[in-house]
Amino acid sequence: MRTQVAIIGAGPSGLLLGQLLTRSGIDNVVLERQTPEYVLGRIRAGVLEQGAVAMLDEAGVGARLHAEGLVHGGIELTWAGERHRVDLNALTGGKNVVVYGQTEVTRDLMDARQASGATSVYEAADVAVDGFDSNRPTVRYRKGGTAHALECDFVAGCDGFHGVCRQSVPTGAIRSYERVYPFGWLGLLSDTPPVSKELIYVSHERGFALCSMRSLKRSRYYLQCSLEDKVEDWSDARFWDELRRRLDPRAVADLVTGPSIEKSIAPLRSFVAEPLRFGRLFLAGDAGHIVPPTGAKGLNLAASDVRYLFDGLVEHYRRGRSVGLDAYSSRALRRIWKAERFSWWMTNLLHRFPENGPFGEKMQLAELDYLFSSKAALTALAENYVGLPY
Ligand code: RFL
Ligand code: PHB
């Protein structure tokens, strides 16, 4: 088989790139290790920046997002038992975010890909990328016991943090920067109405909590937990009890609980690989970088990477110019590092770090107090939360 762009991974970055390329007449094949059902079963992000929404519109998959997504013009932060609103819309001259689950984004992209007739290979095993330092890369994989080779012009490594593409690069050619946080997030999804109209980020002495949502009938809650915790340690009753202990009195009164439909623990990590281009292999999304979820930036960074990579590929195929592809890594990394900084800052501000002791907690409280007394400081939070320009 031969194609122009071989895309490894059918997460949001791979599917979005594929859809944009298909609509521009650039042939592409998506290779995914898992089944579509497995990919759709992973509960992850919920908040989209306007830039990501615009990309999904450009890919022709914005209809359901606009019909069902919830436009949010603010978020709330709780500390010392009181809730404080950040008016994102007013602080950014009219920008908002849209609450629409990653599962739904992925489903919309999968449906559009199927309708377009573009080739996707799910359950592709032992994917290996060869010859990306030459003009003729080849991606090898096995499907149903048979070996296949896919020849291509370019390989887009959209295969997430644990994918094969970054691991295929010789160690001397890549540099990694990493911080692993000493805690995780325990997430719970339930078919209950959200506790509040907007997201609530909670700083509490027992640990961080987040009240989010997927719709007006489906809620998503998170608790900072220990890295030793197992999901089995957390019955629904224990989860709701712990959440109540971290919420303000009004939220406790408003909270509607119910059986969980999903519960999982995610470790928190900051990670960046440099560069993001190796000959004809390009890394995009979580394959090249990870942010802790506190700033809601992971999926949005995947979209901005795809913006730069797609533009570079279009320029190559339409005009025979390589300026955009040559600049891909440095352009993407400039935005990535700023989102890394914001996510690291939000994480440090709102979580309990036992090793920082009482002094560290006082610093967090002073920073929160300052934040809500300074329009300049709140504006900095707001403009990062809604997303920096591409
Ligand atoms: P994905 O989604 O991990 O997809 C990669 C795909 O590649 C496949 N794959 C392979 N395929 C073939 N061969 C191989 N060898 C392969 N190895 C892997 C995988 O099966 C998978 O299907 O990466 P992508 O597309 O770059 O998308 C990134 C986002 O998924 C991620 O950044 C976000 O989910 C992060 N994130 C959030 N981002 C936001 O923008 N807003 C949020 O509110 C937000 N909340 C979150 C989050 C991530 C979380 N977790 C669990 C990590 C909340 C959580 C709890
Ligand atoms: C989510 O709804 O899953 C979510 C929302 C905001 C975040 C992280 C996760 O910062």
Side-chain angles (χ1 to χ4, degrees):
M1 199 169 24
R2 172 152 185 97
T3 189
Q4 289 176 302
V5 183
I7 300 174
I8 318 300
S13 49
L15 290 170
L16 177 58
L17 178 65
Q19 196 54 23
L20 291 165
L21 290 173
T22 301
R23 284 169 73 92
S24 303
I26 299 170
D27 191 56
N28 62 93
V29 171
V30 168
L31 299 180
E32 164 63 49
R33 180 165 59 180
Q34 306 287 356
T35 63
E37 296 71 35
Y38 182 94
V39 173
L40 288 172
R42 292 188 297 225
I43 307 297
R44 290 185 170 177
V47 177
L48 297 176
E49 298 171 355
Q50 279 181 5
V53 171
M55 296 275 300
L56 292 163
D57 281 333
E58 189 178 334
V61 295
R64 202 160 67 91
L65 184 160
H66 289 291
E68 295 175 17
L70 304 171
V71 177
H72 282 200
I75 55 171
E76 291 193 288
L77 263 60
T78 298
W79 49 281
E82 276 180 44
R83 248 145 92 179
H84 306 258
R85 184 166 190 266
V86 183
D87 190 336
L88 299 172
N89 186 283
L91 289 162
T92 59
K95 292 189 182 150
N96 301 308
V97 292
V98 177
V99 173
Y100 188 68
Q102 177 168 334
T103 310
E104 308 312 319
V105 171
T106 309
R107 194 190 308 278
D108 295 343
L109 285 164
M110 279 181 177
D111 289 350
R113 185 165 184 91
Q114 195 167 16
S116 76
T119 308
S120 315
V121 182
Y122 285 90
E123 297 177 87
D126 303 331
V127 170
V129 214
D130 290 336
F132 52 81
D133 44 358
S134 75
N135 283 340
R136 309 218 53 188
T138 305
V139 183
R140 297 177 205 285
Y141 63 98
R142 300 179 71 80
K143 166 88 187 179
T146 312
H148 298 267
L150 172 64
E151 289 178 12
C152 57
D153 301 334
F154 298 102
V155 180
C158 301
D159 51 349
F161 182 64
H162 300 287
V164 66
C165 291
R166 193 180 69 251
Q167 287 165 25
S168 308
V169 175
T171 38
I174 193 164
R175 174 143 188 216
S176 303
Y177 301 82
E178 183 168 46
R179 165 145 311 173
V180 178
Y181 298 89
F183 41 75
W185 276 21
L186 169 66
L188 180 147
L189 190 69
S190 64
D191 278 329
T192 52
V195 65
S196 181
K197 283 200 294 240
E198 293 177 338
L199 272 60
I200 310 176
Y201 290 81
V202 184
S203 167
H204 190 274
E205 59 195 24
R206 296 182 64 87
F208 170 82
L210 169 61
C211 307
S212 181
M213 65 191 77
R214 290 292 175 273
S215 70
L216 297 177
K217 294 187 197 143
R218 183 169 282 188
S219 303
R220 179 71 165 161
Y221 296 101
Y222 295 99
L223 292 174
Q224 176 182 353
C225 66
S226 151
L227 284 173
E228 278 82 55
D229 280 359
K230 303 266 170 296
V231 177
E232 307 79 72
D233 303 336
W234 285 88
S235 65
D236 290 358
R238 181 177 173 208
F239 185 99
W240 295 120
D241 282 346
E242 184 60 36
L243 180 63
R244 276 191 208 96
R245 295 172 94 158
R246 300 185 190 184
L247 297 180
D248 63 282
R250 183 156 53 97
V252 172
D254 293 342
L255 182 69
V256 180
T257 64
S260 63
I261 50 178
E262 194 265 2
K263 241 185 311 192
S264 51
I265 292 180
L268 266 68
R269 183 194 300 274
S270 297
F271 172 88
V272 181
E274 286 192 347
L276 296 172
R277 181 208 179 153
F278 309 89
R280 288 179 168 248
L281 168 66
F282 296 84
L283 302 180
D286 280 13
H289 43 81
I290 294 288
V291 285
T294 326
K297 288 284 159 264
L299 174 57
N300 292 301
L301 275 184
S304 56
D305 287 359
V306 167
R307 165 88 278 155
Y308 303 130
L309 182 54
F310 170 66
D311 288 347
L313 288 166
V314 166
E315 190 189 51
H316 168 87
Y317 284 110
R318 294 230 176 109
R319 286 189 254 133
R321 280 159 43 99
S322 66
V323 183
L325 288 179
D326 292 342
Y328 168 70
S329 181
S330 59
R331 286 176 77 192
L333 281 164
R334 276 188 76 186
R335 192 169 190 280
I336 290 161
W337 275 116
K338 282 177 251 179
E340 290 283 346
R341 187 207 65 80
F342 177 67
S343 305
W344 162 87
W345 174 78
M346 282 274 280
T347 303
N348 284 311
L349 181 66
L350 297 172
H351 290 73
R352 258 332 101 220
F353 289 78
E355 68 278 21
N356 289 354
F359 183 81
E361 282 175 37
K362 285 287 187 191
M363 288 297 101
Q364 289 176 322
L365 290 172
E367 182 150 15
L368 284 160
D369 195 9
Y370 166 65
L371 196 59
F372 283 90
S373 69
S374 159
K375 193 171 174 203
L378 265 191
T379 304
L381 188 165
E383 68 186 15
N384 280 278
Y385 194 88
V386 301
L388 297 176
Y390 282 14

